[in-house]
Amino acid sequence: MSDDSSVARVTTLVRRLASGLAPGSQLPSTRELARTSGVGPVTVQRAVATLVAEGRIETRPGIGNFVSAARLPRRRDVSWQAAALGPPRPGVPEQPGSGLRGLPDDTIALHSGYPLPLLQAGPLVATAIARAAKDPAAARPAPSTGMAPLRHLIAAELAGGAPQSDIASDDVLVTSGGQAALVAAFRGLARPGDTVVMESPTFWGAIAAAAEAGLTIVPVASRPDGPDPAELEQAVAVHRARVVYAQPTWANPTGTTWSPAVRSAVLDIISSHRAFLVEDDWARDLSLDGQSPGPLISRDTDGHVVHIRSLTKSTTPSLRVAGLVARGPAMHRIRTSRWAADLYVSPVLQLAAAEVLAAPAWPRHLSHLRRELVTRRDALIAAVSEHAPLAELPQVPRGGLSLWLRLPPGADAVTVAARCLQDGVAVSAGDEWFPAEPDGPHLRLGFAAAPPDQFERAARVIGRVLDSA
Amino acid sequence: MSDDSSVARVTTLVRRLASGLAPGSQLPSTRELARTSGVGPVTVQRAVATLVAEGRIETRPGIGNFVSAARLPRRRDVSWQAAALGPPRPGVPEQPGSGLRGLPDDTIALHSGYPLPLLQAGPLVATAIARAAKDPAAARPAPSTGMAPLRHLIAAELAGGAPQSDIASDDVLVTSGGQAALVAAFRGLARPGDTVVMESPTFWGAIAAAAEAGLTIVPVASRPDGPDPAELEQAVAVHRARVVYAQPTWANPTGTTWSPAVRSAVLDIISSHRAFLVEDDWARDLSLDGQSPGPLISRDTDGHVVHIRSLTKSTTPSLRVAGLVARGPAMHRIRTSRWAADLYVSPVLQLAAAEVLAAPAWPRHLSHLRRELVTRRDALIAAVSEHAPLAELPQVPRGGLSLWLRLPPGADAVTVAARCLQDGVAVSAGDEWFPAEPDGPHLRLGFAAAPPDQFERAARVIGRVLDSA
């Protein structure tokens, strides 16, 4: 019998022995233990050393080994950490945004940013994942930039819409989801203390990612056609911002799509100010009755636009995979930040994502998803309009997963959301979507995360809360 | 036919038309297109707008629509980025460490830090992943702290070894792998500009993670029993370091395990200096003929030790999942940093990891892995001893995946590695493992990533290179 398994055997034996004795009891001597277990004293000593390290035995030299005295479970004293840690990093709340919060099953989940299971590409993804798990490539670490088939598909998606585009698979970096891509972009393109210009309101995840990267956010108001280019230019110039973050198509939460004029103007601004635009194309697969004007990166050849395309919301929450597209030294910086943050993304997830994107069933799924989302959007609009008329819908969203509602002046969105939750309806209070001060009380209501037959009840609850606010 | 699909149809039609015409040609008028496609002029205009956005059509107001003039494929001009980006963040190399590099298939891969497929828990993991993909929990975003079953198993692993330990599942955070846990720990515990004390040499991934978190590394020499406690204390005190990073058991790359005296001394030091110890238990499942002295966190009740336990190396490269254990306000900081960096880890990977850890086959896999690794370690030691005697092995590793060899004084490790690679043998030059200057030329040779029948040839190549160096 090997020495190693003898030690293990004796360790288990002595541990059991110690458990059976009262605290403070003396254990049999080393010689005695050696004799009864049929091993040498060195083996016994190795076992004892392990149990000392575990805190079960105390050795009193010259006397013997004793079962550790029982102690009252010692209260943790972590108070020293307060002074040691110092001030927290500003700007990142302790909890993720409400879109990600789990709630009791009987809550109507209008807060969630993720589609219901029946709207997901569940079977397609499950098959792809199962196949990927048996692929030989799943047995090797993936390249830190991502696996070639997936990078190629992401580049092809972009290039297919614009032949002038010169996006190749080398311009694509795979990350473990959109949030990771945001942080990689901010950390690669800017330094802590730098400024990033964002629309207000905007995606709370982007706000947190910027804070995590140590950036200061300068907000520019979001208007129905996009930001006012003059305001945006001023913000970039005054604060010497190198980075602008935006969702130019069916933005989360407003649903706004930038007009052609705003698109051209913003491209001119970032070009003349030698800045970067981080374009978050989160809703690419989530068109409703709009047609996407196409990503801005297709009109940019000099690497001003960094494009992010996440797969999670149109596939399943398990496919934590996104593509980031960038060119030039900026891409080197972003790649460097990524490998240091995460080495590589699971090959199983990448292989599965590539299979899904290339599957004939994929465009069918997207068409099905669109039809379902349109129906649900309209149902929620009707329910709110009838039962919660005090909540205004400034803009019908032509893509995305939610409605952005304006509440009556004087209402407090956080209070409204709390009262709705008490009555079993979860909504997203608008405040967390603003990098700075809200421009008024709002709610975001998702129409993809709760079954439509709950919309009427939910709207009634919201209506009652608003009436009494 | 819905308006939306009409637009799509006409868009495709006009796109095809434009492709067939010479650049600069005028397209049929809006009225003409409307007539021939059987739609209204508004529909045609929407189609045209899309093609303008794609850059295929230019509109000259009052004249008509024209196919965009052909342009020579415009060369990217990313030169503006150099000034815009400014200085790079110091300390993170552009490429990940050599352990992760992919190389041609006929290269003998002694550089890699990941075990061969036949040493992985391939079938066990594939089954678990396939089952997880169909689990209803895979259709919901996971909590940002991680899924309860996996957190519980990770806590139970730790608590099982030490009944005095008070580690509960609430003390566990799931991350997308060990590297992500390192960055989360560094960013949560310290601020950019702070100092972290590390052994020298140490894991290159930790060096990169610290740099990514903006920390300055102060190295302390690694010795056969661990760092000299007096040296470590001085480093902590002089540089006011709040964080010490270490691998106290079978460290990567040296194989060193801290003696009981060093363990106790370091725990005292971090306690009296109100500092944190980030304990990276990377080799927990990779014991050879040693028995792990047990993790330091089991002896710490006041939250000084932050413990990281990655699953990837003992399962498969696809299971990018790790557990981070911390207590007190420090855990809040780390959790906050994590959700801002990655929202949540794929539920499929978490469910699969939990199933693997709880499977009866798991301990059998670990026993099998240990036997295999011992055989391979000994085979590589023999081959190097015989065919590359100029490479010294100061310490036989009792756990882990590689040998740390000292080269003759005057040898240059990077040059030696490059020459070996030319002859088809990939090794890891020691330099990248030192946070500052190497204390001499070294090589790290993995014995788990290449088949043992290649060891003799590899050792001969290394021997020849050293002879001629």
Side-chain angles (χ1 to χ4, degrees), chain B residues 190-281:
Chain B
R191 287 180 298 286
D194 283 358
T195 296
V196 55
V197 173
M198 292 192 183
E199 295 171 285
S200 179
T202 191
F203 172 45
W204 52 259
I207 296 170
E212 184 64 15
L215 307 187
T216 303
I217 301 172
V218 169
V220 171
S222 157
R223 302 173 191 286
D225 286 342
D228 177 334
E231 279 184 17
L232 189 128
E233 178 156 33
Q234 182 179 42
V236 169
V238 166
H239 300 277
R240 285 193 251 267
R242 284 278 167 241
V243 184
V244 176
Y245 166 82
Q247 300 182 349
T249 304
W250 308 316
N252 188 8
T254 58
T256 294
T257 295
W258 293 5
S259 69
V262 168
R263 285 168 190 265
S264 297
V266 171
L267 284 174
D268 285 345
I269 289 165
I270 62 166
S271 183
S272 60
H273 287 270
R274 291 188 288 279
F276 295 95
L277 174 70
V278 177
E279 167 182 50
D280 187 349
D281 203 16

Side-chain angles (χ1 to χ4, degrees), chain A residues 366-456:
Chain A
L366 292 181
S367 298
H368 164 76
L369 177 62
R370 173 188 301 155
R371 286 191 298 272
E372 284 289 328
L373 291 177
V374 170
T375 302
R376 288 153 192 268
R377 174 199 67 186
D378 293 345
L380 186 60
I381 289 176
V384 169
S385 164
E386 178 167 1
H387 301 291
L390 286 178
E392 275 185 67
L393 182 67
Q395 228 183 16
V396 173
R398 302 297 175 194
L401 304 170
S402 54
L403 307 179
W404 180 245
L405 302 173
R406 189 188 298 141
L407 301 182
D412 177 71
V414 173
T415 306
V416 168
R419 289 200 185 135
C420 289
L421 187 59
Q422 278 171 350
D423 285 347
V425 177
V427 300
S428 179
D431 299 39
E432 69 190 0
W433 302 85
F434 293 90
E437 298 84 356
D439 61 17
H442 290 80
L443 292 184
R444 190 191 78 154
L445 301 190
F447 46 78
D453 57 22
Q454 292 179 346
F455 287 175
E456 182 185 327

